[in-house]
């Protein structure tokens, strides 16, 4: 009954097998391995972007921070949601790597075009004394489990383009959003107006690798320099390449995300039947739900692992509803989900 994070699940056996296969013999270092050529070609095909620049790094924080640093200047500000991962969970890494600051677009989860336009418009109004306008960063799936529709993405990108600003998509759970929408990667990125994407794999069955894709190839060399200078260029790069190659082979990336989303849907339906309240409507593989403290105690006593959300298990009022976050990955079984629900 482990619902703490999709970072906590196992590596998919097909990925481990590919790593073992890649461990035979010798390969050129620093991304010159033959597997990386395959990965690059496959991602360009998947995204319908033959000229895209494709790179691999080991963490989502590196992917986001280096991508945003490449899209911005130190005197600019990056626009994002108040609950964006780059704001809440990356220890100022985007600011460290870019030199830019973050400006939060008011809202509770998703950005709206109106709020984004208002926020952009008040920057770059103080001449040399204030920050200049920089990239817009959108999180898909959001940190509250919501999925931007294609229309919503297009509207946000359109606002950014009004000000000639680049758009970055934080896709740590990119594929969970993709299968929820039933669209193509191109439709969710460059066709909507996205300039660069962090294409996540670690939360969806990989050991530790994320792709950074620039649809404007002119940014390629700067990213390579920033990746090296930032200490994120692996010498034994083939082990990153092998993971991503396995991920893309036989559509493992899609089947894993579909399974994670299906697990989440099963859990969400069970929670509804048990009378839980939802803070946000579950759309991908994350649930924010609320139910009484007494039930949380039962679940914790039974060995369930998940995070309370801004609440403490300690307290006298057993009927008080406490919010929590529940995350499903590809590996969670129906038995685990049903066991969890039985304690409610």
């Amino acid at each position: 009954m482990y619902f703490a994070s999709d970072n906590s699940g196992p590596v998919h056996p097909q990925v481990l097998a590919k790593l073992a296969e890649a461990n035979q013999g010798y390969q050129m270092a620093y991304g010159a391995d033959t597997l990386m050529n395959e990965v690059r070609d496959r991602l360009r095909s998947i995204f319908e972007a033959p000229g895209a620049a494709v790179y691999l790094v080991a963490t989502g924080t590196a992917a986001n921070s280096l991508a945003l640093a490449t899209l911005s200047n130190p005197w600019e500000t990056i626009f994002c949601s108040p609950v964006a991962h780059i704001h809440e969970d990356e220890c100022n890494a985007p600011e460290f790597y870019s030199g830019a600051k973050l400006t939060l677009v008011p809202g509770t989860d998703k950005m709206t075009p109106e709020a984004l336009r208002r926020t952009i418009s008040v920057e770059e109004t103080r001449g040399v004394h204030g920050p200049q306008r920089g990239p817009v960063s959108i999180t898909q799936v959001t940190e509250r489990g919501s999925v931007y529709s294609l229309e919503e993405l297009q509207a946000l990108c359109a606002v950014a383009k009004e000000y000639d600003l680049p758009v970055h998509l934080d896709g740590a759970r990119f594929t969970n959003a993709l299968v929820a929408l039933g669209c193509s990667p191109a439709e969710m990125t460059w066709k909507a107006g996205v300039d660069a994407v962090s294409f996540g794999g670690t939360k969806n069955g990989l050991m530790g690798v994320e792709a950074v894709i620039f649809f404007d190839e002119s940014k390629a060399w700067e990213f390579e320099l920033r990746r090296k200078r930032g200490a994120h260029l692996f010498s034994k790069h083939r082990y990153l390449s092998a993971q991503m190659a396995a991920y893309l082979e036989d559509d493992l990336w899609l089947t894993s995300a579909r399974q994670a989303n299906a697990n989440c849907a099963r859990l969400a339906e069970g929670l509804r039947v048990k009378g839980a309240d939802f803070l946000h409507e579950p759309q991908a593989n994350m649930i924010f739900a609320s139910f009484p403290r007494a039930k949380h105690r039962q679940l914790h006593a039974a060995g369930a692992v998940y995070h309370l959300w801004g609440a403490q298990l300690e307290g006298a009022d057993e009927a008080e509803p406490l919010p929590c976050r529940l995350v499903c990955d590809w590996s969670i079984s129906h038995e685990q989900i049903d066991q969890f629900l039985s304690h409610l």
Side-chain angles (χ1 to χ4, degrees):
M1 297 187 293
Y2 204 103
F3 300 97
S5 174
D6 41 10
N7 286 320
S8 304
V11 175
H12 198 284
Q14 289 176 226
V15 177
L16 291 175
K18 194 73 171 180
L19 281 164
E21 180 186 323
N23 199 42
Q24 304 302 310
Y26 299 84
Q27 281 285 335
M28 295 297 287
Y30 301 113
D33 52 280
T34 55
L35 271 175
M36 185 58 198
N37 292 331
E38 296 175 20
V39 165
R40 190 180 295 109
D41 290 344
R42 181 76 176 116
L43 282 171
R44 285 171 172 168
S45 174
I46 285 171
F47 280 86
E48 304 170 49
V54 178
Y55 299 101
L56 300 180
V57 293
T59 71
T61 295
N64 288 337
S65 300
L66 292 170
L68 286 167
T70 305
L71 294 176
S72 63
N73 291 304
W75 49 84
E76 293 176 343
T77 189
I78 298 162
F79 300 95
C80 67
S81 158
V83 298
H85 200 272
I86 62 171
H87 171 59
E88 289 196 327
D89 297 290
E90 294 184 354
C91 196
N92 296 356
E95 294 96 324
F96 174 78
Y97 280 99
S98 69
K101 70 187 289 284
L102 301 183
T103 292
L104 306 183
V105 178
T108 57
D109 183 20
K110 289 182 179 180
M111 286 192 288
T112 66
E114 296 76 19
L116 179 60
R117 184 180 287 106
R118 284 196 301 271
T119 306
I120 293 173
S121 67
V122 299
E123 297 295 350
E124 206 170 291
T125 56
R126 299 176 57 231
V128 73
H129 301 285
Q132 307 301 292
R133 297 162 183 156
V136 174
S137 184
I138 305 170
T139 311
Q140 175 80 317
V141 176
T142 76
E143 291 298 308
R144 297 297 180 266
S146 304
V147 176
Y148 286 97
S149 69
L150 293 182
E151 293 74 19
E152 288 171 323
L153 287 174
Q154 291 161 4
L156 290 172
C157 290
V159 171
K161 301 312 176 189
E162 287 176 23
Y163 295 89
D164 199 26
L165 303 179
V167 177
H168 163 257
L169 190 74
D170 176 357
R173 296 183 175 92
F174 182 95
T175 316
N176 300 97
L178 188 81
V179 299
L181 291 177
C183 65
S184 72
E187 288 171 326
M188 205 168 79
T189 54
W190 64 267
K191 287 186 177 180
V194 171
D195 297 282
V197 59
S198 301
F199 176 71
T202 307
K203 296 180 188 296
N204 198 31
L206 299 189
M207 183 178 289
V209 65
E210 321 279 309
V212 180
I213 303 169
F214 290 93
F215 300 108
D216 176 3
E217 201 174 10
S218 69
K219 296 293 184 181
W221 180 236
E222 180 180 346
F223 182 86
E224 290 192 39
L225 294 173
R226 288 185 178 277
R227 181 176 59 164
K228 178 61 177 175
R229 184 174 180 267
H232 282 283
L233 175 59
F234 272 47
S235 57
K236 293 192 175 180
H237 189 282
R238 62 170 145 166
Y239 300 105
L240 297 183
S241 304
Q243 293 178 66
M244 188 59 71
Y247 192 51
L248 303 175
E249 197 170 275
D250 300 324
D251 288 341
L252 179 63
W253 61 298
L254 295 170
T255 55
S256 295
R258 288 190 184 110
Q259 187 59 53
N261 286 13
N263 290 339
C264 183
R266 183 184 183 94
L267 178 59
E269 180 57 29
L271 289 168
R272 289 187 205 281
V273 171
K274 300 291 184 179
D277 294 320
F278 291 86
L279 284 67
H280 305 275
E281 185 61 28
Q283 292 182 278
N285 70 319
M286 281 193 291
I287 295 171
F288 288 81
S290 178
F291 41 87
R293 176 179 275 112
K295 295 299 181 182
H296 286 291
R297 289 194 198 280
Q298 283 179 232
L299 284 160
H300 280 75
V305 182
Y306 60 95
H307 293 296
L308 294 177
W309 206 252
Q312 298 295 324
L313 192 59
E314 296 76 20
D317 186 355
E318 293 293 281
E320 181 185 1
L322 303 181
C324 66
R325 187 188 79 161
L326 304 162
V327 188
C328 295
D329 80 335
W330 64 274
S331 70
I332 292 170
S333 68
H334 287 181
E335 290 74 19
Q336 288 175 289
I337 294 168
D338 295 345
Q339 183 186 1
F340 183 92
L341 293 169
S342 72
H343 289 285
L344 286 173

